Amino acid sequence: MANGFRLYGFSLLLVQLLAACSPTKQEALPAADNNAANMTAKATQPIADGKLVVVFGDSLYAGYNLQQDQGFAPILEQALSKQGIKAHVVNAGVSGDTSADGLARLAFGLDGLPRKPDLVLVGLGGNDMLRGLSPQATRANIDAILTELDKRGIPAMLTGMMASPNMGPDYAAAFNPIYPDLAKKHGVPLYPFFLDGVIGQRSLLLPDGIHPNPQGVQRITAKVAPLVARQLGE
């Protein structure tokens, strides 16, 4: 967790990144987000005897402004394959989603899958922080998402976000504990800060200096994939 807190020095970049996660009227959602809208169609492809993994989050999961084979979901699938794990990773990331948006679409998305997932990664809350939404509401929404997965007997993993210092110490004190607290409550693994090692590194960001580029996605996935593999029981 200490590495994540050292990234507070990149507060302005983090604010910009989260702002970019929220599409404006002038900015259309990137093509990669269509994978999330059509996750049911994608997931109906043959899965055979492999694992079914769903990455459920915002633009950081969706593959913002990347080719469809460069985002987090396909790179995670490749990383798992290199570890000898046959897995089908479904992209359920939507740019601009808040935790409330994610909760609202969760049941529909799960009901459309061909079978119960072996793992759902949950990565939401960054847009809540950007908009200054109540951390208590964010906590309640993510708690409800994990509770629904619990009810369905679906293993989950949580990836965290951190409040930018410009939100003030009171907001950070309420927001930052959300992820470790809920991971402990639900007994799920936690990757504390999804952008650890990438934010502030220009060589790992898109030309906008905001979102991870393909190399940044590779860096993130290299850290997250071993935790995913462990959760899959491999």
Side-chain angles (χ1 to χ4, degrees):
M1 195 68 174
N3 288 339
F5 281 105
R6 283 199 294 269
L7 293 173
Y8 267 39
F10 300 116
S11 60
L12 294 179
L13 284 174
L14 182 55
V15 170
Q16 288 177 321
L17 184 147
L18 293 170
C21 289
S22 301
T24 65
K25 292 181 180 179
Q26 293 78 28
E27 179 183 18
L29 292 178
D33 286 347
N34 292 332
N35 285 343
N38 298 318
M39 65 176 286
T40 300
K42 179 180 178 184
T44 56
Q45 298 172 5
I47 298 173
D49 59 348
K51 303 289 187 179
L52 176 58
V53 178
V54 176
V55 295
F56 187 82
D58 52 32
S59 66
L60 296 177
Y61 277 15
Y64 183 88
N65 276 353
L66 300 177
Q67 297 298 315
Q68 290 191 2
D69 62 349
Q70 296 177 331
F72 178 56
I75 299 305
L76 177 59
E77 187 171 302
Q78 292 174 21
L80 293 173
S81 178
K82 290 177 181 177
Q83 296 186 48
I85 302 172
K86 186 176 182 181
H88 183 75
V89 181
V90 175
N91 181 357
V94 175
S95 286
D97 255 16
T98 63
S99 60
D101 295 326
L103 177 59
R105 67 182 171 91
L106 176 65
F108 179 81
L110 293 174
D111 290 343
L113 294 171
R115 65 171 173 83
K116 185 169 70 174
D118 297 286
L119 180 65
V120 173
L121 275 70
V122 179
L124 290 162
N127 287 306
D128 301 51
M129 186 270 287
L130 168 71
R131 299 172 189 180
L133 301 181
S134 163
Q136 290 72 27
T138 301
R139 177 186 289 268
N141 291 330
I142 298 176
D143 192 4
I145 289 171
L146 294 173
T147 297
E148 179 65 19
L149 294 172
D150 287 342
K151 289 179 179 178
R152 293 176 180 244
I154 300 173
M157 175 177 162
L158 191 59
T159 63
M161 182 52 63
M162 298 177 65
S164 175
N166 76 314
M167 298 301 296
D170 291 342
Y171 192 93
F175 184 88
N176 290 342
I178 289 173
Y179 301 94
D181 287 354
L182 291 181
K184 182 178 181 180
K185 175 181 178 180
H186 291 272
V188 302
L190 169 68
Y191 186 75
F193 184 43
F194 190 72
L195 295 169
D196 185 27
V198 172
I199 191 67
Q201 302 295 320
R202 288 284 175 172
S203 63
L204 300 177
L205 297 170
L206 291 173
D208 61 13
I210 297 168
H211 282 81
N213 62 18
Q215 292 73 37
V217 173
Q218 292 278 358
R219 173 73 63 86
I220 292 168
T221 307
K223 295 183 177 183
V224 175
L227 301 179
V228 174
R230 190 177 308 133
Q231 184 68 359
L232 291 173
E234 300 290 337

